[in-house]
Amino acid sequence: MTTPLERIESHPHESKRLIGIEYEHFLGLVELAEKRHLEKQAFIEKNKIRIVAKGGGRKPDMSVKQGICLCLIYLRQKPIFEILGLLFDVSKTKANDTFNYWIEI
């Protein structure tokens, strides 16, 4: 099964139907969100007391594009987080956490 993001990238003309905005606007939104995400991470990093070396630890489960796409699908379709988790191959808790993080940004 393909993820919604893969579907949007392979068929950009369907993005309006799936996420509610045109593909070009989606890419612009991803760009802005990624910039804000990097600013937020830099602020957190500046105030952090390190125990684990930089670059260590768990890698993110979702990319910025996937996180934004998850949020837009939730806002457009209003599925439960179990369904979002299935669509994006993450747990319902991770889907909920991802949604809350990107909505804040």
Side-chain angles (χ1 to χ4, degrees), residues 18-35:
L18 292 172
I19 58 176
I21 60 175
E22 298 292 334
Y23 186 68
E24 295 77 26
H25 295 141
F26 172 68
L27 293 178
L29 182 63
V30 168
E31 206 173 289
L32 290 172
E34 191 164 19
K35 181 180 174 190

Side-chain angles (χ1 to χ4, degrees), residues 77-89:
Q77 310 292 339
K78 295 289 188 193
I80 57 177
F81 286 106
E82 285 88 355
I83 300 298
L84 275 178
L86 287 172
L87 288 173
F88 286 91
D89 198 27

Side-chain angles (χ1 to χ4, degrees), residues 51-62:
I51 297 173
V52 177
K54 188 170 183 163
R58 180 175 272 211
K59 302 301 178 211
D61 293 333
M62 301 181 86

